Amino acid sequence: MAQALAGPEIERLIQLLGRLPGLGPRSARRAVLHLMRKREELLVPLADAMRVAAERIVTCDNCGNLDTQSPCTICRDSRRDPSILVVVESVGDLWALERAGALRANYHVLGATLSPFDGVGPDELSLPKLVERATGGAVKEVILALNATVEGQTTAHYITDLLTEVGVKVTRLAHGVPVGGELDYLDEGTLSAALLSRTTIG
Ligand code: ZN
């Protein structure tokens, strides 16, 4: 580890920020320096905002999204089409699809994808709740918006089998999602196109 430049409080801040995705130790150091210079305008409000968020973040009981309320903001939004349920692996994927803005639907966050080699089986995924939501009668179509990875596709097959008995239409993202592609890294246009030209699988 590099030699300490500052007191332990600052070093701790650099260390913690350096764990964020996309920030290495160098960027973390630069960010901390910026925060220290902008103490009143940035560091203090950021610290307050983080404390409030840390106290209030909950997992939505309905869909698995992260928010400060459950049901979450998306589940409470009555302007969304209740007949479409978009299944994603993670909250990051949900955010990516919302950013693309192609559909105003409801979501279901699985929390993981099946990966037998890593010991991730069906019990690790939020599947009973998905089946319950798909069974209610309001949902007519379930869109599997899963990564184009082996795990994502294995999970898609598993869910398709699971939902066959429920009698809802099951679709998946169309071309545009490259093999091995992770949704979070795709641009909005590609995501919109993949959603709008989805194909039926069950
Ligand atoms: Zn929700």
Side-chain angles (χ1 to χ4, degrees), residues 60 62-65 71-72 75:
C60 175
N62 194 43
C63 74
N65 188 16
C72 70
C75 286

Side-chain angles (χ1 to χ4, degrees), residues 155-167:
T155 310
H157 287 302
Y158 189 88
I159 293 177
T160 306
D161 288 346
L162 212 57
L163 293 181
T164 303
E165 292 150 37
V166 176

Side-chain angles (χ1 to χ4, degrees), residues 96-117:
L97 290 168
E98 276 295 289
R99 216 169 54 224
L103 278 180
R104 305 236 347 127
N106 290 305
Y107 290 91
H108 191 81
V109 181
L110 294 172
T113 42
L114 294 176
S115 182
F117 294 113

